[in-house]
Amino acid sequence: MTDTLELKQRLLAEFSTREQLLNGSRETPLHILRQDAMNRFDELGFPTIRHEEWKYANIMPALLIPFSSAQPSNLTSDEVCNFYLEGIEANILVFVNGYFAPEHSKFISSEVMMSNFEASLKTPIENSRFAKISGYKNESFTALNTALSNDGAWISIPDGVILTNPIHILMITDSREYSPILHPRHTIHCGDRSEATIIYSSHTIGENSGFTNSVSEISVGQNAKLHQYIIQNDSDLSYAVNSSYVHQERNSTYSVVTVSLSGKFVRNNHTSKLAGENSVANFYGLVIGGSKQLIDNHTLADHSVPHCQSNELYKYILDDRSTGVFNGKIIVRPDAQKTNAYQSNKTILLSDTATINTKPQLEIFADDVKCSHGATSGQLDEESLFYLRSRGIPADKARALLLHAFASDVLNHIAIAPLRDSLDKSIATRLHDESEIALLVE
Amino acid sequence: MLSINNLQASVEGKEILKGINLTVNPGEVHAIMGPNGSGKSTLASVLAGRADYEITGGEVLFEDKDLLEMSPEERSHEGVFLAFQYPVEIPGVSTANFLKTALNEVRKHRGEEQLDAMDFLKLMKEKAKLMDIELSFLQRSLNEGFSGGEKKRNEIFQMAMLNPKLSILDETDSGLDIDALKIVSNGVNSLRSENNATILITHYQRLLDYIIPDFVHVLYKGKIVKSGGKELALELEARGYDWVKDEVGE
Ligand SMILES: Nc1ncnc2c1ncn2[C@@H]1O[C@H](COP(=O)(O)OP(=O)(O)OP(=O)(O)O)[C@@H](O)[C@H]1O
Ligand SMILES: [Mg+2]
């Protein structure tokens, strides 16, 4: 047990060291907040599997890895450009080991304010967006991030701006020399009547492990629309806990598609607070799990006012000894009459040793609401497979076709065709399929 | 073309086919009739290569090759086609999409060139017209939400696209309205040639008014107990199966 405590001690020590360097600015509201967060992390510690919300996500083995605080790293443009999205004219914000890398970034939409968290902290007004949406009182990873985060994307879409080009937040972890631990902090604000698409992708370079503890705070203003596509493509030695907190105002729409392709341990906490009437939250997720991966999606649709809607569809394809977790919580607070909340989790198990743990959690305190949830899991349908083969399609292609069809429900929510196509290809590769799935889906 | 010799098959230890003998030559149409549960679909499934069945005896030669040794896709490449009694619904896979892959696999095997999107569309239009199917229909998820009759029509459309040597139609007529029955029968007839053969599994003489069989067989308790010409179907229609059962000695 002493071993697993060590990482915690190192993180506490890091905070003290940083504190000492602050000198005069120790009394700022920001630092006081960070101190409080660090104390909270100290009290909570890392969650164990005895914690109901972390029952299947055992983080303890990660704590034995000698992670050390991530340092900036200079990547060549060749190393970075592999991760740019082909065929998409996007604003690109690159972060290497959690630090903003302006030399690899690209801004094409001048009407939007894009910068990094560190720079944004210098302006007191923006300062006030920090930790306004996320609560860290009960979430030790969020508390830790609040205390130690020093960089991340900072995006503000002004009122009324319809952004034509997406923003790509590109996170690269360089684990070539050591096992870095990083706490990126992203702040996204969509002004009233604005519309934007944000693509978030994470990747690893290097053979060591890595630990990303990210927090995103997202506010979606009145009548605004935000589409978010998250591509998780870290190495199979990496750990990630991503916590995203969304606050939605009246008539807003927030849609997110999370595609988890790799990573040894991926925990996504996705919370949307529907705080204004007629707002809509759409959570879609696709998980491709293999080896001994663990992918855990925890969602919370928090309905606090009437006439809102939340839709959730999470699909898992699990192979080898991988474990999938889906925990979908829906809260309908007493005032939230006429709520519509749907939730569905479907899983295909490709091996006997893959498992899915799914748990819907409905907490409904209003009477005039429509809520539904459902979960299915099973093997690839043998009847369908035989049907396709009997038409001359070889077994491996037939399998790929069926898996692709299964995934397409989720992928079809991605409105950018080149992104969808590249995901189709990654998924085909991920499923070890030689077949030209790209041809099948043209 | 097809030669089934003393074929025996069982499922979960239960013997269902108990020694089937049947020879089908190019150009012929064979009708197989028989009471519910007698093994007709099992025979069709075994010929198409469904894995659920254990072959416990006998052999099946297709153009002198051992059919039972082949995977379902190989059988299709060789020219065997099964129109399913209960076609599956496959959400997310459109008929057009999967059929293009299927057709090109079959063509690859025949040493023919791959069809590009244009040629494929042209062929699809032609065959869809033959079966009176809207093109938009073929873009929908395979059989999902299709009516019973639409599913059957889709099966014959696929047959027209793949142009098999041996077609096995398992109760394709069940669930078809009178107009659809004519369309499907015309489709099947227009695909007939002296090089291909058809096995029709049916309960009703009506289909055989449109597609005239050369032979009619009665399958009962896993065996072909009686064979005859097309007049046998009329007799069965009029008299039912009891007299056949009596002849067998039950
Ligand atoms: N997979 C299976 N598992 C168990 N029993 C089976 C299976 N397949 C077929 N059978 C049994 O085998 C027998 C023959 O079934 P089959 O479907 O071949 O009959 P059929 O002649 O096509 O009948 P119908 O006219 O009703 O379509 C039936 O008793 C059926 O229950
Ligand atoms: Mg049958």
Side-chain angles (χ1 to χ4, degrees):
Chain A
M1 216 47 209
T2 47
D3 279 338
T4 56
L5 281 173
E6 223 179 270
L7 179 61
K8 183 179 165 188
Q9 297 311 329
R10 282 206 306 279
L11 292 164
L12 289 167
E14 186 186 336
F15 186 76
S16 308
T17 313
R18 280 209 215 167
E19 204 165 38
Q20 258 133 57
L21 296 173
L22 283 175
N23 298 323
S25 47
R26 255 194 247 182
E27 297 307 314
T28 60
L30 173 66
H31 188 67
I32 291 165
L33 179 79
R34 285 186 186 269
Q35 236 167 3
D36 186 52
M38 201 64 200
N39 289 339
R40 194 60 194 140
F41 170 71
D42 192 8
E43 285 158 20
L44 292 169
F46 285 107
T48 70
I49 52 170
R50 284 191 302 274
H51 195 300
E52 185 60 28
E53 300 292 323
W54 293 82
K55 201 166 155 188
Y56 303 103
N58 186 5
I59 196 74
M60 290 303 136
L63 306 184
L64 299 169
I65 297 169
F67 287 112
S68 50
S69 177
Q71 303 302 316
S73 155
N74 290 317
L75 298 183
T76 65
S77 36
D78 282 353
E79 285 164 336
V80 175
C81 76
N82 289 331
F83 304 122
Y84 292 151
L85 297 163
E86 241 173 87
I88 302 171
E89 192 62 25
N91 300 279
I92 307 173
L93 290 164
V94 177
F95 292 84
V96 180
N97 278 355
Y99 295 91
F100 186 46
E103 70 277 19
H104 299 301
S105 300
K106 184 170 134 187
F107 300 94
I108 53 174
S109 305
S110 55
E111 66 274 37
V112 176
M113 290 189 272
M114 280 175 275
S115 117
N116 58 324
F117 170 64
E118 199 193 9
S120 78
L121 284 181
K122 299 191 176 103
T123 6
I125 168 136
E126 307 310 346
N127 205 342
S128 70
R129 284 224 177 97
F130 183 69
K132 280 295 180 301
I133 301 174
S134 69
Y136 56 78
K137 293 289 177 218
N138 298 312
E139 296 291 340
S140 69
F141 280 103
T142 302
L144 181 63
N145 179 291
T146 305
L148 287 179
S149 57
N150 43 21
D151 215 342
W154 187 91
I155 295 165
S156 178
I157 321 278
D159 290 352
V161 167
I162 311 285
L163 196 61
T164 35
N165 298 90
I167 299 169
H168 179 195
I169 302 172
L170 173 50
M171 308 295 293
I172 304 170
T173 302
D174 179 359
S175 71
R176 283 176 296 193
E177 283 167 23
Y178 61 102
S179 301
I181 180 165
L182 44 143
H183 315 276
R185 181 84 178 198
H186 309 295
T187 309
I188 297 164
H189 171 71
C190 300
D192 293 347
R193 303 175 316 281
S194 68
E195 182 165 357
T197 299
I198 296 179
I199 302 166
Y200 184 98
S201 72
S202 50
H203 314 266
T204 314
I205 299 177
E207 299 303 318
N208 288 302
S209 188
F211 197 127
T212 302
N213 169 29
S214 78
V215 171
S216 302
E217 289 186 275
I218 300 171
S219 57
V220 189
Q222 290 186 16
N223 295 80
K225 287 195 177 84
L226 177 63
H227 314 277
Q228 207 184 0
Y229 307 130
I230 301 173
I231 320 299
Q232 304 185 311
N233 212 353
D234 274 304
S235 80
D236 278 334
L237 288 172
S238 64
Y239 293 78
V241 177
N242 304 301
S243 307
S244 168
Y245 301 88
V246 183
H247 181 91
Q248 294 188 240
E249 309 240 354
R250 179 187 287 269
N251 295 327
S252 67
T253 301
Y254 170 74
S255 299
V256 59
V257 182
T258 306
V259 181
S260 309
L261 295 169
S262 52
K264 185 178 177 63
F265 178 107
V266 180
R267 166 65 178 256
N268 299 313
N269 297 315
H270 230 109
T271 297
S272 202
K273 187 170 178 75
L274 296 138
E277 290 191 20
N278 292 312
S279 50
V280 179
N282 299 311
F283 295 170
Y284 306 108
L286 175 65
V287 170
I288 313 288
S291 60
K292 286 188 180 170
Q293 274 184 276
L294 173 114
I295 304 99
D296 179 343
N297 284 299
H298 265 62
T299 64
L300 168 59
D302 186 349
H303 289 261
S304 30
V305 294
H307 297 288
C308 292
Q309 193 179 324
S310 61
N311 300 299
E312 292 179 66
L313 174 63
Y314 277 80
K315 290 197 153 183
Y316 290 61
I317 297 173
L318 301 174
D319 202 355
D320 306 325
R321 298 179 163 276
S322 61
T323 305
V325 182
F326 175 74
N327 189 109
K329 189 167 177 175
I330 298 171
I331 302 180
V332 181
R333 298 190 188 271
D335 288 340
Q337 299 295 358
K338 306 283 181 194
T339 288
N340 280 330
Y342 303 100
Q343 185 186 93
S344 163
N345 171 220
K346 294 184 176 164
T347 303
I348 290 182
L349 298 167
L350 296 176
S351 81
D352 295 343
T353 44
T355 49
I356 176 77
N357 303 287
T358 174
K359 181 176 162 195
Q361 257 181 299
L362 273 54
E363 296 180 8
I364 299 172
F365 304 102
D367 44 25
D368 188 10
V369 300
K370 273 191 204 142
C371 288
S372 72
H373 65 88
T376 59
S377 76
Q379 269 99 40
L380 204 56
D381 184 43
E382 285 295 329
E383 286 286 310
S384 304
L385 206 54
F386 176 63
Y387 187 94
L388 295 176
R389 293 178 70 187
S390 78
R391 297 303 183 242
I393 301 179
D396 58 344
K397 271 192 196 179
R399 212 167 278 131
L401 198 59
L402 291 176
L403 290 175
H404 182 269
F406 178 76
S408 65
D409 269 7
V410 170
L411 294 180
N412 285 344
H413 290 288
I414 296 178
I416 302 175
L419 179 60
R420 229 173 27 231
D421 294 346
S422 90
L423 282 170
D424 275 338
K425 286 195 193 116
S426 315
I427 291 165
T429 321
R430 187 66 189 73
L431 294 168
H432 309 289
D433 250 303
E434 302 303 312
S435 63
E436 321 95 272
I437 196 158
L439 286 177
L440 301 179
V441 299
E442 69 190 16
Chain B
M1 175 183 270
L2 180 75
S3 154
I4 305 176
N5 304 312
N6 191 29
L7 177 65
Q8 295 158 46
S10 55
V11 61
E12 289 161 11
K14 180 178 154 202
E15 195 176 26
I16 297 173
L17 302 184
K18 301 174 182 166
I20 304 264
N21 293 299
L22 181 68
T23 302
V24 178
N25 296 305
E28 291 176 354
V29 174
H30 290 245
I32 297 181
M33 305 183 80
N36 293 132
S38 59
K40 303 181 296 296
S41 293
T42 302
L43 174 62
S45 296
V46 166
L47 293 178
R50 189 189 286 273
D52 305 353
Y53 303 95
E54 193 195 344
I55 311 298
T56 49
E59 62 166 10
V60 179
L61 298 178
F62 183 69
E63 297 190 317
D64 301 323
K65 289 181 211 156
D66 185 350
L67 190 72
L68 300 179
E69 278 295 299
M70 298 179 202
S71 66
E73 54 268 36
E74 285 167 335
R75 297 179 199 210
S76 164
H77 300 162
E78 291 293 328
V80 176
F81 180 92
L82 169 63
F84 287 80
Q85 181 174 6
Y86 304 109
V88 290
E89 300 189 4
I90 310 186
V93 175
S94 74
T95 309
N97 196 350
F98 99 85
L99 209 51
K100 179 159 180 259
T101 311
L103 183 59
N104 277 330
E105 288 293 334
V106 172
R107 291 176 70 93
K108 202 197 294 181
H109 184 84
R110 292 183 193 151
E112 295 168 0
E113 242 176 79
Q114 301 285 289
L115 284 189
D116 63 21
M118 289 291 283
D119 291 339
F120 177 76
L121 189 66
K122 206 172 138 224
L123 183 70
M124 200 165 74
K125 273 186 182 157
E126 180 196 320
K127 302 298 183 191
K129 201 172 161 202
L130 178 74
M131 296 310 300
D132 198 20
I133 287 177
E134 301 260 347
L135 275 187
S136 64
F137 194 79
L138 303 172
Q139 304 296 346
R140 279 169 52 184
S141 281
L142 180 67
N143 291 329
E144 196 182 29
F146 286 19
S147 75
E150 287 168 342
K151 286 180 186 171
K152 298 299 178 75
R153 224 190 280 191
N154 190 297
E155 293 291 288
I156 303 305
F157 164 74
Q158 293 176 37
M159 172 183 140
M161 290 292 289
L162 296 173
N163 193 20
K165 289 178 192 155
L166 175 69
S167 303
I168 305 159
L169 275 47
D170 191 356
E171 293 197 28
T172 301
D173 54 333
S174 300
L176 290 182
D177 66 42
I178 296 162
D179 294 335
L181 183 68
K182 276 186 200 157
I183 293 166
V184 164
S185 308
N186 287 339
V188 173
N189 284 331
S190 71
L191 297 168
R192 279 178 73 172
S193 80
E194 56 195 24
N195 301 318
N196 59 30
T198 310
I199 297 176
L200 298 172
I201 296 172
T202 184
H203 285 295
Y204 307 107
Q205 146 65 25
R206 200 182 53 177
L207 174 71
L208 306 180
D209 286 340
Y210 294 103
I211 309 173
I212 316 281
D214 300 297
F215 301 94
V216 174
H217 310 277
V218 177
L219 188 63
Y220 178 58
K221 290 195 172 169
K223 276 188 173 169
I224 290 181
V225 292
K226 195 166 185 68
S227 296
K230 60 176 191 272
E231 62 292 340
L232 177 56
L234 288 168
E235 196 169 357
L236 290 169
E237 178 91 350
R239 298 173 61 192
Y241 288 110
D242 283 349
W243 65 279
V244 184
K245 293 179 190 171
D246 288 344
E247 278 188 15
V248 186
E250 296 203 15

